[in-house]
Amino acid sequence: MNMPPFKYDFSQLEIKLPLPKSLLRPLGALLLAVSVSACTVPTEQSRPTSDAGPASSSLRLAQATAKSGDHQTAARLFENIVEEEPESVSALLGLGDSYSRLGQQNRAAAVLNRAHELDNRNVEVLSVLGRVHLSQHQAETALANYNKALKIDRSNISAITGKGVALDTLSRHAEAQEAYQSGLSQYPANYVLRNNYALSLALSGQQTKSIAILQELVRDPVVAPHVRDNLAMVYGLAGRENDARATLALDLEASQIEENMGIYRALRRMLGEGKKIGALVYA
């Protein structure tokens, strides 16, 4: 069953579903707003790497290229640095992140595992590894990585959001909501956490509460196009099909709207039967 383009953010990261091309919309800088930066910031828990000296300018160029969204070029730049400095955790992190964003998850995992061997307390490495494992449909392994990261830095937002996504994928929604609430206690205005929390509520049958959150978020013109897809889905789960259609009509054609409505009905039926749909929605 093809799923509509729900906008589930995690790093601020987003898990994108296997969708019909006709339903896809270009996503902005909010993605997987877990969007983990390719640059790791040394902390007391994460020892700094030997990235000083002549290679530092190359590293900054590679990181800036990745930040611009040109991950193919960034990967080539990071590869050159790793060839010269195979133990540069920052370069390995950037390379793994770029490979992941290019859809090369196995290569990403291999590179990031090496970075983890070199610095097993680097929270950003663990967070990007978690994202890679989610992309490989390995939610349990992803969850383990996020839990490790949070033991080192309980305020790391990439790990908080990632943990919530992993738990929702496993249909452990009550635990996921605890993760989001913990994050919101630290970052009360964070769009990503609120968006993901609302979706988690919807999947656990709390559509009214979810709708209230999304109706507020959709008023922000920057995120509105992404939130509308989620709001329409939650309307559908709640049986409010007229509201779902009206929301989808702002972005989709009639045939696409009806395709989405069929999916909402199927999900609503499964929820009514007490079936877990986390893995299906975030497959």
Side-chain angles (χ1 to χ4, degrees):
M1 178 171 66
N2 288 324
M3 305 303 300
F6 308 144
K7 300 302 183 298
Y8 199 99
D9 290 327
F10 89 100
S11 142
Q12 266 227 182
L13 157 125
E14 180 165 304
I15 296 301
K16 293 181 285 185
L17 309 173
L19 315 173
K21 290 183 179 179
S22 61
L23 297 185
L24 290 173
R25 174 191 299 125
L27 302 180
L30 291 170
L31 286 189
L32 224 170
V34 189
S35 286
V36 177
S37 170
C39 176
T40 183
V41 179
T43 66
E44 291 181 1
Q45 296 84 11
S46 176
R47 68 176 181 269
T49 59
S50 57
D51 293 325
S56 61
S57 59
S58 298
L59 180 62
R60 288 194 296 271
L61 174 61
Q63 291 168 339
T65 303
K67 188 174 182 179
S68 75
D70 185 357
H71 296 292
Q72 185 169 356
T73 301
R76 301 289 83 78
L77 294 171
F78 283 123
E79 286 171 347
N80 292 337
I81 297 169
V82 170
E83 185 175 347
E84 295 294 326
E85 297 186 52
E87 295 192 355
S88 169
V89 173
S90 293
L92 289 165
L93 171 59
L95 181 57
D97 181 66
S98 291
Y99 281 158
S100 175
R101 295 178 188 281
L102 291 169
Q104 300 178 30
Q105 305 302 341
N106 289 332
R107 293 181 83 187
V111 169
L112 292 165
N113 281 325
R114 175 55 180 157
H116 182 58
E117 290 173 3
L118 292 167
D119 184 357
N120 63 9
R121 294 184 63 79
N122 189 302
V123 173
E124 296 306 322
V125 170
L126 286 166
S127 294
V128 181
L129 259 176
R131 190 185 73 212
V132 168
H133 288 306
L134 280 173
S135 297
Q136 295 175 316
H137 311 304
Q138 299 170 1
E140 290 280 7
T141 304
L143 180 59
N145 282 315
Y146 291 126
N147 281 332
K148 287 180 185 177
L150 289 170
K151 284 182 180 179
I152 299 166
D153 180 5
R154 62 184 297 180
S155 66
N156 184 275
I157 195 164
S158 298
I160 293 169
T161 52
K163 179 177 180 176
V165 171
L167 287 166
D168 272 327
T169 301
L170 295 166
S171 291
R172 293 163 57 179
H173 304 304
E175 294 173 75
Q177 289 156 31
E178 287 181 7
Y180 299 133
Q181 289 171 331
S182 173
L184 286 167
S185 71
Q186 301 176 69
Y187 308 102
N190 186 272
Y191 153 76
V192 172
L193 290 170
R194 289 190 176 279
N195 176 73
N196 291 3
Y197 178 50
L199 290 180
S200 183
L201 288 170
L203 290 180
S204 61
Q206 302 178 69
Q207 284 86 32
T208 299
K209 189 173 181 179
S210 173
I211 288 169
I213 295 171
L214 294 173
Q215 284 177 332
E216 182 176 292
L217 291 180
V218 81
R219 295 172 187 163
D220 184 333
V222 175
V223 302
H226 312 305
V227 177
R228 279 198 295 268
D229 293 320
N230 293 337
L231 181 57
M233 185 268 289
V234 180
Y235 278 144
L237 291 181
R240 295 172 56 173
E241 293 197 356
N242 289 338
D243 289 326
R245 282 194 176 88
T247 303
L248 292 172
L250 295 171
D251 303 293
L252 301 180
E253 297 177 358
S255 61
Q256 297 169 331
I257 291 172
E258 291 311 309
E259 182 177 354
N260 280 20
M261 296 307 300
I263 293 170
Y264 300 160
R265 293 185 193 113
L267 292 175
R268 186 168 70 242
R269 182 170 59 252
M270 293 177 68
L271 281 177
E273 295 170 353
K275 294 180 180 178
K276 297 179 178 179
I277 65 173
L280 175 62
V281 171
Y282 302 113

